């Protein structure tokens, strides 16, 4: 499924357990991250769990975003410019994806605010 501005607008949002304003895009068969500019940088957290995303990237400038929950996708690579678009990420959950090598995580070294990273369940 294509991630459209309409899907973003129709998706639930709420205050999560750690008091972040979260947009829930989970379980939508999303294959590619796109049109996230339609979030207008309103969210602290983005839940894209249980989709079929292959590349963690293509983010517009989202400086408010603090957490990304991206478990159970097919993420095999991370965009090298990720830190430019989402510089304030503190929590990144990549559990159950297709990251094979430690070098696949290299773009994350530029995320200087990153405190919590989960990569369990990757090959």
């Amino acid at each position: 499924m294509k991630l459209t501005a309409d899907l973003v607008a129709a998706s639930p949002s709420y205050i999560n357990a750690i008091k972040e304003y979260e947009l829930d895009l989970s379980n939508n068969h999303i294959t590619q991250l796109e049109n996230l500019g339609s979030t207008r940088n309103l969210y602290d957290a983005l839940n894209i769990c249980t989709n079929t995303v292959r590349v963690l990237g293509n983010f517009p400038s989202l400086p408010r975003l603090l957490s990304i929950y991206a478990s159970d996708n097919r993420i095999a690579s991370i965009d090298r410019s990720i830190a430019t678009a989402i510089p304030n990420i503190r929590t990144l959950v990549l559990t159950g994806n297709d990251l094979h090598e430690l070098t696949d995580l290299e773009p994350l070294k530029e995320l200087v605010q990153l405190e919590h990273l989960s990569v369990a369940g990757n090959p």
Side-chain angles (χ1 to χ4, degrees), residues 44-98:
D44 304 309
L46 178 63
N47 182 343
I48 56 169
C49 295
T50 318
N51 283 292
T52 56
V53 174
R54 293 186 183 277
V55 177
L56 187 65
N58 196 28
F59 289 97
S61 178
L62 297 172
R64 180 174 172 175
L65 196 60
L66 302 174
S67 300
I68 297 176
Y69 306 105
S71 63
D72 300 318
N73 275 277
R74 295 181 183 160
I75 297 170
S77 66
I78 300 169
D79 189 317
R80 295 214 173 275
S81 64
I82 195 166
T84 303
I86 52 172
N88 296 314
I89 291 294
R90 291 188 208 151
T91 301
L92 181 56
V93 178
L94 296 171
T95 305
N97 280 287
D98 289 327

Side-chain angles (χ1 to χ4, degrees), residues 26-37:
S26 63
N27 298 297
N28 281 301
H29 306 288
I30 296 166
T31 58
Q32 179 178 337
L33 297 178
E34 56 192 343
N35 297 311
L36 287 172

